[in-house]
Amino acid sequence: TKRGLRFTVRLVDLLERNATLHVSKPAVVVVGGTQLTYGELRLRVTGLASSLAARGIGKGDRVVIMAGNSTTPFETYLACAYLGAAAVPINTKLTRPELEYIVGDADPSIAIADDECVTQLAAALPSGVNLVSTADHEYRRMLATDEMDGLDQVAQAEDVALIIYTSGTTGRPKGVCLTQGALSFNAVTMAVAQQFRPDDVFLSMTPLYHAATGTRVSSMLVDGQTHVVLPHFDAEEALGAIEYHGVTMTVAVPTQLRRMLESPAFDVDRLRSLRLLVYGAAPTGLPLIRRAIAELPCGLYQGYGLTE
């Protein structure tokens, strides 16, 4: 039509479907840490959403999240989606002035941070904004809340679910507003372009606050895929995770790709499960691409994307 296509699938719909069809299947696996099935992930997400709603968080509100690679981004991003609220992931490497600007611009109603980021975020928050630490009993209690009450019917596809700030290379960072419909449609287009399979196991090696892997929180929900998370990048640990978890897909920036290929632990036999490696986010030299083609047992996909 002249007004364009309207994609009405919500992130909530993807998670609800997976919690029904794949209730016992691993959804999120943190290397060396927590593992959640789709049933467990949904319970945590809806518990957190109910707790946030009880604190007055609802449609249009922003929830700032500052955390490393863990289950926290999955819990918080999706909990916000149930409420029609927007998760605002914050780069954990920001300086104090950068953090103050973004937090001030986002105008959050509440903030959530892991133990490593609590002090840094607390110093930058405007007065009156409550900060919850994921290391505290309060957050664990919020995850365990069991009050659905039609929660899965609140959000709309047009609701902004994720606000990711750009790098601001030509000025101040700008908050890019991504709706549930846009994220769901992106998931479907990625599934088609990269030929997702229901048994795919995706490995996140880059920060989940970044668009490249932050949007994978939703895209790997498209058909019950398993999302493996590396808390901190290390070439040997990445190679070990691919082998141990049977990883089929991953995303790597050029530096990560080079370190993996140059690692003493590199052995093509350890990577037999891998069928696709997406590389990008920075210029990738032709010698590195040629080496990857020659030495990796999988297809390569040169990724380019905007936060928008």
Side-chain angles (χ1 to χ4, degrees), residues 39 53 58 77 118 134 162 176 218 236 263 268 273-274 290 303:
Y77 295 5
V118 165
T134 62
L162 195 60
V176 176
S218 51
E236 286 74 17
S263 169
V268 70
S273 63
L274 199 61
R290 285 175 172 160

Side-chain angles (χ1 to χ4, degrees), residues 181-194:
L183 288 165
S184 298
F185 187 68
N186 179 65
V188 172
T189 56
M190 288 179 68
V192 172
Q194 298 179 15

Side-chain angles (χ1 to χ4, degrees), residues 8-235:
T8 58
V9 177
R10 308 169 302 165
L11 299 183
V12 172
D13 298 322
L14 297 179
L15 182 55
E16 289 289 329
R17 175 182 182 275
N18 290 335
T20 299
L21 297 181
H22 310 293
V23 62
S24 299
K25 184 177 181 180
V28 182
V29 179
V30 179
V31 176
T34 305
Q35 176 172 317
L36 300 174
T37 65
Y38 271 106
E40 291 167 338
L41 176 62
R42 179 182 174 276
L43 285 175
R44 285 194 179 211
V45 167
T46 55
L48 182 56
S50 296
S51 298
L52 289 172
R55 293 166 178 251
I57 307 302
K59 275 184 176 289
D61 286 329
R62 274 81 63 195
V63 179
V64 159
I65 296 139
M66 194 171 184
N69 279 8
S70 61
T71 60
T72 301
F74 297 85
E75 296 156 357
T76 53
Y77 295 5
L78 295 171
C80 289
Y82 272 86
L83 301 176
V88 187
I90 301 293
N91 187 332
T92 60
K93 303 292 194 296
L94 293 179
T95 63
R96 172 76 175 269
E98 291 171 330
L99 184 56
E100 288 179 343
Y101 171 76
I102 289 176
V103 170
D105 186 69
D107 189 23
S109 299
I110 194 170
I112 298 173
D114 65 18
D115 196 39
E116 295 181 1
C117 299
V118 165
T119 301
Q120 185 182 3
L121 183 56
L125 281 175
S127 60
V129 178
N130 187 32
L131 173 60
V132 178
S133 169
T134 62
D136 292 345
H137 175 72
E138 180 184 5
Y139 182 76
R140 293 191 292 273
R141 182 184 58 78
M142 292 169 75
L143 291 176
T145 301
D146 185 19
E147 298 177 9
M148 276 294 290
D149 293 333
L151 197 63
D152 58 335
Q153 302 301 316
V154 174
Q156 302 296 320
E158 295 82 6
D159 292 333
V160 174
L162 195 60
I163 301 177
I164 300 180
Y165 276 78
T166 63
S167 59
T169 51
T170 58
R172 292 281 199 177
K174 300 167 184 65
V176 176
C177 299
L178 304 173
T179 66
Q180 294 210 33
L183 288 165
S184 298
F185 187 68
N186 179 65
V188 172
T189 56
M190 288 179 68
V192 172
Q194 298 179 15
Q195 299 179 356
F196 286 10
R197 303 169 185 170
D199 60 350
D200 270 328
V201 178
F202 177 79
L203 174 64
S204 275
M205 301 189 294
T206 52
L208 287 166
Y209 57 71
H210 188 272
T213 41
T215 55
R216 291 276 181 168
V217 170
S218 51
S219 65
M220 300 318 295
L221 295 174
V222 73
D223 199 15
Q225 285 82 7
T226 297
H227 198 143
V228 176
V229 179
L230 198 64
H232 303 283
F233 178 75
D234 174 88

